[in-house]
Amino acid sequence: MRSRFDEVTALREELEAERQARREAERIAEENARALYDRQDELELLEMVAAASNEATAIEPALGAAIVHVCAHMRWPVGHAYIADEASGALRSTAVWYLEDEARYGAFRDLTEEVGAPGLPMRVVEAGEPSWVADVATEPGFGRAEVAAGAGLRSGFAFPVLMGTDTVGALEFFSDRAAEPDPVLLALMAQIGVQLGRVVERERAREELERSNADLEAFAYLASHDLAAPLRAVGGFVSLLGRRYVDQLDDDAREIIGHAVDGVQRMQTMIDDLLLYSRAGTTDLQREEVAAGELVTAALRDLAPAVAESGAQVEVGELPTVRADATQLQRVFQNLLSNAMKYTAPDVSPRVVVRSGPADGGWEIAVADNGIGIEPRNADRVFEMFARVHGGADYRGTGLGLAICRRIVERHGGRLWVEANPGGGSVFRLTLPR
Ligand code: ADP
């Protein structure tokens, strides 16, 4: 029979076991809460880096923002970025730093910039993965040990900025306390490295586009400028040949000379358009308050021969006063009206209507025609340089008119696009801010 003592002991043991189980449960709950809290912190860090990356319009500010956020998250005093040269791939130190204490860590920064590509980031770039330094003073190949330890730095790590599988940079961080490798943290940093890699990719593509646009610009200018004079000479001599030897030439020769002069003239138009295109992107806008109606009237006056030849009926509604470069905007109307009278449909008497109305914070002006129209799949293409969708002998042109128009309108802060006219033909619409 169990004694009363035994019963009490058993009860006490039971109680103790229960208490222990409760303590264990509380410990697990607390651990989970902390993990959840850390997770929340990590998510916030990722979100902040993502937001800064999206907003950045250059690589270095994006790296700078990431460094500040990571240092704040870890409460570490030093962060720094390296970037790989696009052409050679060689890693170089950037001027992008976070230093909690300039006086204390300044010497470490200066030495790092002097070395350019120290051991730690080089290791990261070569391996394509993060690397942890438990103690900067004893780490083999670290290279900056003395100055780092002198500034009171203890541990650090670096991780790659990855564009796909290519390492295009590296970020390094240092603490003034000893810190053991933290796999969770390194996984988080790997994600940041991928995010920053996307910024590098995006910004490099943008720079490349700007470069090629500038090249095209320079080419357009040079071509139009330098080709004009010899071409004028060729045209002049061929015409002279026709005139001076008119009695000695037969019809066949005269026809050939006619074709040559015609070719020269077409080339001249193309060169003029190229020059206009390049000017539309570079000359400063002379903005003033102008009545759009007057610009349309002036454009129609210049187009009088085309109006007469096409027999087009042109209707111009009430148009607003806008803030624009009068010469350039008149050119836009002239191109749109000229196209409207050029791309006419057979057996349809041409009709052109210009109307306007308010649009988001500005005006919309539409030039509608009942001509041959533009297929929806070509609606964007017609604005590209040299793009012609109705070529051949029927319609002559350089394919630059609409590219010039779009350039001018966009430089005014507006948009220009084309839609199908429900009544047949096309409607070109442009917007201008107020
Ligand atoms: P161009 O008229 O010198 O060929 P544009 O840049 O002005 O060059 O126009 C590009 C192309 O867009 C034209 O070749 C033509 O195929 C098409 N296009 C332009 N305007 C019209 C229009 N009003 N109706 C139908 N097609 C048009």
Side-chain angles (χ1 to χ4, degrees), residues 15-40:
L15 262 176
E16 183 52 33
E18 231 170 67
R19 211 175 281 144
Q20 220 161 36
R22 201 168 55 231
R23 266 204 298 270
E24 179 63 12
E26 275 169 4
R27 193 188 59 75
I28 291 171
E30 201 176 303
E31 224 168 53
N32 281 342
R34 198 171 325 119
L36 217 62
Y37 183 78
D38 285 351
R39 199 78 221 127
Q40 175 96 7

Short mmCIF file of all heavy atoms in Angstrom, two decimals, residues 15-40:
data_model
loop_
_atom_site.label_atom_id
_atom_site.label_comp_id
_atom_site.label_asym_id
_atom_site.label_seq_id
_atom_site.Cartn_x
_atom_site.Cartn_y
_atom_site.Cartn_z
N LEU A 15 3.44 17.56 -10.53
CA LEU A 15 3.34 19.01 -10.61
C LEU A 15 4.59 19.61 -11.28
O LEU A 15 4.49 20.48 -12.15
CB LEU A 15 3.22 19.60 -9.21
CG LEU A 15 1.81 19.95 -8.75
CD1 LEU A 15 1.83 20.43 -7.30
CD2 LEU A 15 1.20 21.02 -9.64
N GLU A 16 5.74 19.08 -10.83
CA GLU A 16 7.01 19.58 -11.36
C GLU A 16 7.09 19.34 -12.88
O GLU A 16 7.49 20.21 -13.65
CB GLU A 16 8.19 18.90 -10.64
CG GLU A 16 9.56 19.38 -11.05
CD GLU A 16 9.73 20.91 -11.01
OE1 GLU A 16 9.11 21.58 -10.13
OE2 GLU A 16 10.45 21.42 -11.88
N ALA A 17 6.68 18.12 -13.27
CA ALA A 17 6.70 17.79 -14.71
C ALA A 17 5.80 18.73 -15.47
O ALA A 17 6.16 19.22 -16.57
CB ALA A 17 6.25 16.34 -14.91
N GLU A 18 4.66 19.01 -14.87
CA GLU A 18 3.72 19.92 -15.53
C GLU A 18 4.32 21.31 -15.68
O GLU A 18 4.23 21.95 -16.74
CB GLU A 18 2.44 20.01 -14.70
CG GLU A 18 1.18 19.75 -15.52
CD GLU A 18 -0.02 19.62 -14.62
OE1 GLU A 18 -0.39 20.63 -14.01
OE2 GLU A 18 -0.55 18.50 -14.51
N ARG A 19 4.93 21.73 -14.57
CA ARG A 19 5.53 23.06 -14.58
C ARG A 19 6.61 23.15 -15.67
O ARG A 19 6.72 24.11 -16.40
CB ARG A 19 6.15 23.33 -13.20
CG ARG A 19 6.10 24.81 -12.83
CD ARG A 19 6.60 25.06 -11.43
NE ARG A 19 5.63 24.76 -10.42
CZ ARG A 19 5.92 24.24 -9.21
NH1 ARG A 19 7.15 23.89 -8.93
NH2 ARG A 19 4.97 24.02 -8.32
N GLN A 20 7.39 22.05 -15.73
CA GLN A 20 8.47 22.03 -16.71
C GLN A 20 7.91 22.09 -18.15
O GLN A 20 8.42 22.81 -19.00
CB GLN A 20 9.28 20.76 -16.53
CG GLN A 20 10.75 21.04 -16.71
CD GLN A 20 11.59 19.95 -16.10
OE1 GLN A 20 11.22 18.77 -16.14
NE2 GLN A 20 12.70 20.33 -15.50
N ALA A 21 6.82 21.31 -18.31
CA ALA A 21 6.20 21.30 -19.65
C ALA A 21 5.69 22.69 -20.00
O ALA A 21 5.82 23.15 -21.14
CB ALA A 21 5.04 20.29 -19.67
N ARG A 22 5.13 23.38 -18.98
CA ARG A 22 4.61 24.72 -19.24
C ARG A 22 5.76 25.67 -19.61
O ARG A 22 5.67 26.44 -20.54
CB ARG A 22 3.83 25.23 -18.04
CG ARG A 22 2.88 26.36 -18.48
CD ARG A 22 1.88 26.75 -17.44
NE ARG A 22 2.49 27.10 -16.19
CZ ARG A 22 2.12 26.60 -15.00
NH1 ARG A 22 1.15 25.70 -14.93
NH2 ARG A 22 2.71 26.98 -13.90
N ARG A 23 6.85 25.52 -18.80
CA ARG A 23 8.00 26.39 -19.08
C ARG A 23 8.53 26.16 -20.50
O ARG A 23 8.86 27.09 -21.22
CB ARG A 23 9.12 26.12 -18.06
CG ARG A 23 9.05 27.07 -16.85
CD ARG A 23 10.41 27.19 -16.19
NE ARG A 23 10.87 25.91 -15.68
CZ ARG A 23 10.63 25.44 -14.45
NH1 ARG A 23 9.92 26.17 -13.60
NH2 ARG A 23 11.07 24.27 -14.06
N GLU A 24 8.58 24.89 -20.88
CA GLU A 24 9.06 24.54 -22.22
C GLU A 24 8.15 25.17 -23.30
O GLU A 24 8.63 25.74 -24.28
CB GLU A 24 9.11 23.00 -22.36
CG GLU A 24 9.57 22.49 -23.71
CD GLU A 24 11.02 22.87 -24.04
OE1 GLU A 24 11.75 23.34 -23.14
OE2 GLU A 24 11.40 22.76 -25.23
N ALA A 25 6.83 25.05 -23.03
CA ALA A 25 5.86 25.62 -23.99
C ALA A 25 6.05 27.13 -24.09
O ALA A 25 6.02 27.70 -25.19
CB ALA A 25 4.44 25.29 -23.57
N GLU A 26 6.28 27.75 -22.91
CA GLU A 26 6.46 29.21 -22.92
C GLU A 26 7.73 29.60 -23.68
O GLU A 26 7.74 30.57 -24.44
CB GLU A 26 6.55 29.75 -21.48
CG GLU A 26 5.19 30.00 -20.88
CD GLU A 26 5.26 30.29 -19.38
OE1 GLU A 26 6.39 30.36 -18.84
OE2 GLU A 26 4.21 30.41 -18.78
N ARG A 27 8.76 28.76 -23.47
CA ARG A 27 10.02 29.04 -24.15
C ARG A 27 9.85 28.96 -25.67
O ARG A 27 10.28 29.83 -26.43
CB ARG A 27 11.11 28.04 -23.69
CG ARG A 27 12.52 28.45 -24.09
CD ARG A 27 13.52 27.36 -23.79
NE ARG A 27 13.22 26.10 -24.49
CZ ARG A 27 13.44 25.90 -25.78
NH1 ARG A 27 13.97 26.86 -26.50
NH2 ARG A 27 13.14 24.75 -26.35
N ILE A 28 9.15 27.89 -26.07
CA ILE A 28 8.93 27.73 -27.52
C ILE A 28 8.10 28.89 -28.07
O ILE A 28 8.41 29.46 -29.12
CB ILE A 28 8.23 26.37 -27.82
CG1 ILE A 28 9.22 25.23 -27.52
CG2 ILE A 28 7.73 26.30 -29.25
CD1 ILE A 28 8.61 23.85 -27.56
N ALA A 29 7.06 29.28 -27.31
CA ALA A 29 6.21 30.40 -27.76
C ALA A 29 7.04 31.67 -27.90
O ALA A 29 6.91 32.41 -28.88
CB ALA A 29 5.06 30.60 -26.78
N GLU A 30 7.89 31.88 -26.90
CA GLU A 30 8.71 33.10 -26.92
C GLU A 30 9.68 33.09 -28.11
O GLU A 30 9.85 34.08 -28.81
CB GLU A 30 9.51 33.16 -25.62
CG GLU A 30 9.99 34.55 -25.28
CD GLU A 30 10.69 34.55 -23.92
OE1 GLU A 30 10.04 34.13 -22.92
OE2 GLU A 30 11.87 34.90 -23.90
N GLU A 31 10.26 31.90 -28.33
CA GLU A 31 11.19 31.76 -29.45
C GLU A 31 10.50 32.05 -30.77
O GLU A 31 11.01 32.76 -31.63
CB GLU A 31 11.71 30.32 -29.47
CG GLU A 31 13.20 30.25 -29.71
CD GLU A 31 13.71 28.86 -29.45
OE1 GLU A 31 13.15 27.91 -30.03
OE2 GLU A 31 14.65 28.74 -28.63
N ASN A 32 9.28 31.47 -30.90
CA ASN A 32 8.51 31.69 -32.13
C ASN A 32 8.20 33.16 -32.32
O ASN A 32 8.29 33.69 -33.42
CB ASN A 32 7.20 30.90 -32.10
CG ASN A 32 7.46 29.44 -32.44
OD1 ASN A 32 8.51 29.10 -33.00
ND2 ASN A 32 6.53 28.57 -32.08
N ALA A 33 7.81 33.80 -31.20
CA ALA A 33 7.46 35.23 -31.28
C ALA A 33 8.68 36.02 -31.73
O ALA A 33 8.58 36.91 -32.59
CB ALA A 33 6.97 35.73 -29.93
N ARG A 34 9.86 35.65 -31.17
CA ARG A 34 11.07 36.37 -31.55
C ARG A 34 11.40 36.14 -33.03
O ARG A 34 11.73 37.05 -33.78
CB ARG A 34 12.24 35.95 -30.66
CG ARG A 34 13.35 36.98 -30.72
CD ARG A 34 14.47 36.76 -29.72
NE ARG A 34 14.06 36.24 -28.45
CZ ARG A 34 14.49 35.07 -27.95
NH1 ARG A 34 15.31 34.31 -28.63
NH2 ARG A 34 14.09 34.66 -26.77
N ALA A 35 11.26 34.85 -33.44
CA ALA A 35 11.54 34.52 -34.83
C ALA A 35 10.61 35.31 -35.76
O ALA A 35 11.03 35.84 -36.79
CB ALA A 35 11.36 33.03 -35.06
N LEU A 36 9.35 35.39 -35.33
CA LEU A 36 8.35 36.11 -36.12
C LEU A 36 8.72 37.59 -36.21
O LEU A 36 8.62 38.22 -37.26
CB LEU A 36 6.99 35.97 -35.42
CG LEU A 36 5.79 35.83 -36.35
CD1 LEU A 36 5.93 34.57 -37.19
CD2 LEU A 36 4.50 35.78 -35.52
N TYR A 37 9.19 38.10 -35.05
CA TYR A 37 9.58 39.50 -34.98
C TYR A 37 10.77 39.76 -35.91
O TYR A 37 10.77 40.70 -36.69
CB TYR A 37 9.94 39.84 -33.53
CG TYR A 37 10.27 41.29 -33.33
CD1 TYR A 37 9.26 42.25 -33.27
CD2 TYR A 37 11.60 41.70 -33.22
CE1 TYR A 37 9.58 43.58 -33.10
CE2 TYR A 37 11.92 43.02 -33.05
CZ TYR A 37 10.90 43.96 -32.99
OH TYR A 37 11.23 45.28 -32.83
N ASP A 38 11.77 38.83 -35.83
CA ASP A 38 12.95 38.97 -36.69
C ASP A 38 12.54 38.92 -38.15
O ASP A 38 13.02 39.65 -39.00
CB ASP A 38 13.94 37.84 -36.44
CG ASP A 38 14.69 38.08 -35.13
OD1 ASP A 38 14.54 39.18 -34.57
OD2 ASP A 38 15.39 37.15 -34.66
N ARG A 39 11.65 37.98 -38.45
CA ARG A 39 11.17 37.78 -39.82
C ARG A 39 10.54 39.08 -40.34
O ARG A 39 10.76 39.48 -41.46
CB ARG A 39 10.16 36.65 -39.73
CG ARG A 39 9.72 35.87 -40.86
CD ARG A 39 10.61 34.79 -41.39
NE ARG A 39 10.49 34.93 -42.85
CZ ARG A 39 11.50 35.04 -43.65
NH1 ARG A 39 12.71 35.00 -43.19
NH2 ARG A 39 11.33 35.18 -44.94
N GLN A 40 9.74 39.67 -39.45
CA GLN A 40 9.05 40.91 -39.79
C GLN A 40 10.09 41.98 -40.14
O GLN A 40 9.96 42.68 -41.14
CB GLN A 40 8.26 41.36 -38.56
CG GLN A 40 7.57 42.68 -38.71
CD GLN A 40 6.13 42.46 -39.13
OE1 GLN A 40 5.67 41.33 -39.17
NE2 GLN A 40 5.46 43.53 -39.48
#
